[in-house]
């Protein structure tokens, strides 16, 4: 799909900058205009785009929906231009592209840390840090760290993953860097990892993740919207953003579920990617605007 929001010349400049002035790519990130993490209504709407680095390119029935980087960047540019979008979650390649395109001024950047558990790999549960680390985020002015924590009681790869996550939480707290944990109870089913989205499983995953690290002072949660979210949110005092999941579910049902969950104590907003970047009707701006209105009702 050809870019629609960004002019082709923007991508020409991006390619030239990467080839001839890599230091300038870095400088566009470190010199960007920053903002407070929370302001106004104290809620956050973050667009997520860290899926490709884990080999997760599928959206719905299209296995390579996120493979075209120019199309993805164009969709992200559209989303970031909409009122009420506070920032973006991504791996360094995505964040560098967006910064070099001049799209991250006054936006919150959430840096994705662990993408080593590649989708479909035999080592998927050994989810190592292959993206940002805490020192690099502090140096670059990244606002929030993020880790995925899948707990599989039948897979030994969970143990080193938990140790790495605990170390990341400890380092982030020492650096006074907020860190968002995305926990799941997971299992192998027919050769692939499936996350258990039952209420009890999500509550248990929250309990496990909450105890990671030497301090929880800077820990946030990133949680799925499941049945009986009141019980889920009663399991934590930590500020929480809701995740969106895959596209394909009826959008009206999804938006209604988000709206209900956003009313619960402790819920601070949304972190959503594919559902909004690749909506069934292709209208990214309209989908983002609906979600933004749910997070920031005063828009």
């Amino acid at each position: 799909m050809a870019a629609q929001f960004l002019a082709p010349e923007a991508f020409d400049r991006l390619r030239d900058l990467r080839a001839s002035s890599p230091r300038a790519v870095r400088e566009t990130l470190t010199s960007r205009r920053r903002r407070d993490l929370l302001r106004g209504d104290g809620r956050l709407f973050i667009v997520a785009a860290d899926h490709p680095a884990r080999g997760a390119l599928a959206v719905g029935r299209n296995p390579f929906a996120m493979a075209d980087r120019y199309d993805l960047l164009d969709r992200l540019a559209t989303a970031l231009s909409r009122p009420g979008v506070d920032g973006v979650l991504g791996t360094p390649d995505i964040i560098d592209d967006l910064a070099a395109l001049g799209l991250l001024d006054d936006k919150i950047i959430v840096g994705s840390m662990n993408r080593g558990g590649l989708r479909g790999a035999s080592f998927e549960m050994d989810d190592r840090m292959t993206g940002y680390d805490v020192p690099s985020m502090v140096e670059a002015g990244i606002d929030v760290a993020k880790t995925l924590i899948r707990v599989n009681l039948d897979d030994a790869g969970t143990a080193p993953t938990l140790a790495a996550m605990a170390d990341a939480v400890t380092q982030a707290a020492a650096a006074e860097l907020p860190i968002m944990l995305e926990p799941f109870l997971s299992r192998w089913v027919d050769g692939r990892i499936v996350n258990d989205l039952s209420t009890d499983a999500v509550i248990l995953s929250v309990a496990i993740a909450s105890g990671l690290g030497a301090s929880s002072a800077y820990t946030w949660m990133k949680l799925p919207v499941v049945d009986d979210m009141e019980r889920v949110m009663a399991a934590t005092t930590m500020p929480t953003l809701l995740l969106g999941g895959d596209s394909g579910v009826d959008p009206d049902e999804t938006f209604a579920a988000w709206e209900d969950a956003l009313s619960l104590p402790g819920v601070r907003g949304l972190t959503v990617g594919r559902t909004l970047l690749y909506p069934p009707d292709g209208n990214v701006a309209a989908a983002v605007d609906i979600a933004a209105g749910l997070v920031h009702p005063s828009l």
Side-chain angles (χ1 to χ4, degrees):
M1 175 180 172
Q4 297 179 339
F5 184 86
L6 295 171
E9 292 79 12
F11 293 128
D12 291 339
R13 290 192 297 271
L14 174 59
R15 286 190 296 268
D16 289 343
L17 196 67
R18 281 193 168 278
S20 61
S21 303
R23 181 177 294 179
V25 175
R26 177 74 168 182
E27 290 172 350
T28 62
L29 178 60
T30 58
S31 65
R32 81 185 212 282
R33 186 174 67 252
R34 298 183 64 184
R35 51 159 277 186
D36 292 336
L37 179 61
L38 297 177
R39 64 186 186 186
D41 59 11
R43 290 156 76 93
L44 287 172
F45 177 27
I46 304 295
V47 178
D50 62 340
H51 312 84
R54 198 168 62 82
L57 299 175
V59 179
R61 296 182 178 180
N62 183 350
F64 287 94
M66 301 185 78
D68 186 326
R69 179 54 55 94
Y70 299 97
D71 177 46
L72 174 57
L73 291 173
D74 193 71
R75 291 170 185 268
L76 285 167
T78 300
L80 288 167
S81 74
R82 306 307 300 171
V85 176
D86 294 290
V88 61
L89 160 63
T91 45
D93 56 322
I94 294 282
I95 299 303
D96 288 345
D97 277 343
L98 293 173
L101 288 166
L103 299 174
L104 295 182
D105 279 343
D106 203 37
K107 298 297 183 184
I108 296 299
I109 299 177
V110 182
S112 186
M113 300 182 72
N114 64 318
R115 300 281 85 186
L118 300 181
R119 174 167 288 186
S122 62
F123 53 84
E124 186 169 349
M125 292 309 305
D126 188 354
D127 204 352
R128 305 185 185 198
M129 300 298 190
T130 56
Y132 285 110
D133 58 25
V134 170
S136 66
M137 283 187 282
V138 172
E139 182 182 357
I142 304 298
D143 302 287
V144 181
K146 176 260 182 180
T147 68
L148 172 66
I149 305 171
R150 292 173 296 176
V151 177
N152 187 334
L153 301 180
D154 296 318
D155 193 307
T158 295
T161 296
L162 288 176
M165 299 309 107
D167 185 55
V169 172
T170 298
Q171 288 189 42
E176 300 184 351
L177 176 71
I179 182 167
M180 192 182 307
L181 309 184
E182 182 181 3
F184 292 99
L185 283 191
S186 307
R187 64 187 187 279
W188 288 102
V189 177
D190 297 329
R192 68 188 191 95
I193 293 295
V194 176
N195 296 326
D196 187 341
L197 297 181
S198 66
T199 305
D200 288 348
V202 174
I203 290 172
L204 183 54
S205 75
V206 170
I208 293 168
S210 296
L212 294 175
S215 171
S216 66
Y218 288 85
T219 300
W220 287 53
M221 289 288 160
K222 180 174 183 274
L223 301 176
V225 178
V226 298
D227 293 336
D228 204 355
M229 279 299 292
E230 292 86 354
R231 285 183 60 214
V232 173
M233 291 310 302
T236 182
T237 60
M238 296 169 185
T240 298
L241 298 186
L242 306 174
L243 62 91
D246 199 355
S247 184
V249 180
D250 179 79
D252 292 336
E253 292 182 13
T254 299
F255 291 134
W258 291 348
E259 184 173 23
D260 289 343
L262 282 165
S263 68
L264 296 173
V267 176
R268 288 277 180 171
L270 292 173
T271 305
V272 183
R274 293 167 293 183
T275 303
L276 301 179
L277 293 175
Y278 298 87
D281 64 0
N283 192 334
V284 175
V288 168
D289 287 349
I290 293 173
L294 298 177
V295 177
H296 301 293
S298 61
L299 284 176

